[in-house]
Amino acid sequence: MAPSTLTLLALDNADLVRETLGDASVELLLREFQARVAAFARAADRVFEIAPDKYGVLLRDVVDEQQIELAGSKLKRLFDVPITLVDHDVRPDIRAAFVPPDGCGSDMDARLRIAESGLREARRSGNLFVIRHELTTELEQETLRRTREVEAGLVKGEFLLFFQPKVHAGFGTVLGAEGLMRWLHPTDGLLGPDTFLPFCNDAMTRRTLCWHAVKSAIAVCVQWPGGIGVAVNVPPSLVCDPELRAVVSDALTIFGLEPQRVTLEVTEEAMLQDPDAAMAALGALRRLGVRISIDDFGTGYSSLAYLRALELDELKIDRSFVTHLCTETRDRDIVRAIVDLGHTFSMRVVAEGVEDAETAAVLKDLGADVLQGYHFGRPMPAHRFRGVL
Ligand code: G
Ligand code: MN
């Protein structure tokens, strides 16, 4: 393969144009962006779309700085011309990063990451383009190393779902478990989500991890006595992912689990970006028969409109309101209000982060239905959870 310089081209004002001038204008802008990217490439170059406002171009036989500077001036010439949208002229806000073929060879993934960090630098410095040979900061290199380690760990089966009991507030009996992902790292031991989620920025990695959690939860739950349910966390970015519904539905069918034994925990953040899409997706999931829980309730910024529009099954009071419940009367007032709100909408109310008997007793008094926390059990491997049933 001929040596090529990777160009990553981003159009940064598509969202702004959408907000100020509307959908029709943004369509025109994106079409013109695509046309100019095509004009930038020569016949032998390869153009690929990453997103409507982000393209990659492999510049064949462009290898040294001088050639890249020339490509940069071609870019400037092409994008200096304003774009006419309906009745406005808009200057395309373009940034580019060039990654020459030296250093990282033909590993496209690595080159794209270098290019992404180059784009950030271009935005910071206000330059049209930057030339980047490698990741510059130690933090970037460490991030790349960890990201690769997570991806490899997923393939090697180092990610295991642990289970934390959810118990009946009145009787103390186990009603189910929340599945929580742990990384059984070959040298660092058992790691929690704080150590690996920051390195799952890549959409594919996040999906792999979440689908793995869904399948593991369902596979393990069928081995429990009937009536014991399982909950899985779904990150906000995946709530609207059409694959989620398919993964849940297929796993239920293959393992033969009753859908009502599965709860999907989503945070209010999921409603923030596109509330209509999120509500439609949650409605469709609920029609499969699974339950939907609002996790970390009370910390998000969302409105309560979704409570009116959707029938949901569970509210989980965020740990921050539970931790100081015994000493803080205002926390108690908030918990009481959330319990009332949940019950008004026929939802089961769960308190998480219960660490002692005193807090458990207060929560029971306040009317919480289900309790979860270190007081009842830490997240544990499947075989140990089986033992507490
Ligand atoms: O937001 P979410 O409910 O998904 O967070 C669950 C996380 O909280 C898990 O990583 C789990 O280890 C942690 N956790 C569970 N119970 C407790 C508890 O009683 N106290 C504290 N501090 N953390 C807990
Ligand atoms: Mn949760």
Side-chain angles (χ1 to χ4, degrees), residues 67-192:
Q67 293 170 315
I68 295 174
E69 290 288 348
L70 279 173
S73 49
K74 181 175 175 185
L75 205 60
K76 182 164 164 40
R77 196 158 33 77
L78 276 169
F79 282 99
D80 252 356
V81 185
I83 297 174
T84 304
L85 308 171
V86 198
D87 43 19
H88 285 267
D89 275 0
V90 168
R91 193 162 285 282
D93 182 7
I94 295 294
R95 305 288 159 193
F98 292 105
V99 184
D102 56 344
C104 49
S106 58
D107 180 347
M108 195 49 156
D109 238 33
R111 296 179 78 187
L112 279 170
R113 283 186 182 125
I114 296 169
E116 287 287 359
S117 103
L119 281 183
R120 284 194 293 275
E121 184 190 324
R123 289 181 187 120
R124 265 199 313 272
S125 61
N127 287 321
L128 170 67
F129 66 91
V130 298
I131 302 172
R132 269 294 193 93
H133 296 265
E134 56 199 12
L135 295 175
T136 47
T137 67
E138 245 171 64
L139 182 68
E140 279 179 350
Q141 287 174 17
E142 171 64 12
T143 304
L144 179 62
R145 196 183 63 73
R146 270 289 187 184
T147 305
R148 290 241 174 91
E149 213 184 357
V150 168
E151 286 164 4
L154 269 166
V155 174
K156 288 188 281 182
E158 291 170 4
F159 286 82
L160 289 177
L161 201 61
F162 274 39
F163 297 89
Q164 184 176 39
K166 287 166 102 167
V167 309
H168 189 284
F171 306 130
T173 48
V174 176
L175 298 174
E178 175 176 2
L180 295 159
M181 199 49 88
R182 295 292 181 262
W183 185 6
L184 206 55
H185 192 280
T187 53
D188 298 355
L190 196 61
L191 304 177

Side-chain angles (χ1 to χ4, degrees), residues 192-218:
D194 295 350
T195 57
F196 57 81
L197 285 186
F199 304 104
C200 298
N201 291 316
D202 176 63
M204 207 49 230
T205 311
R206 263 195 318 254
R207 292 166 121 194
T208 308
L209 198 64
C210 182
W211 302 170
H212 173 47
V214 168
K215 292 177 209 168
S216 306
I218 291 175

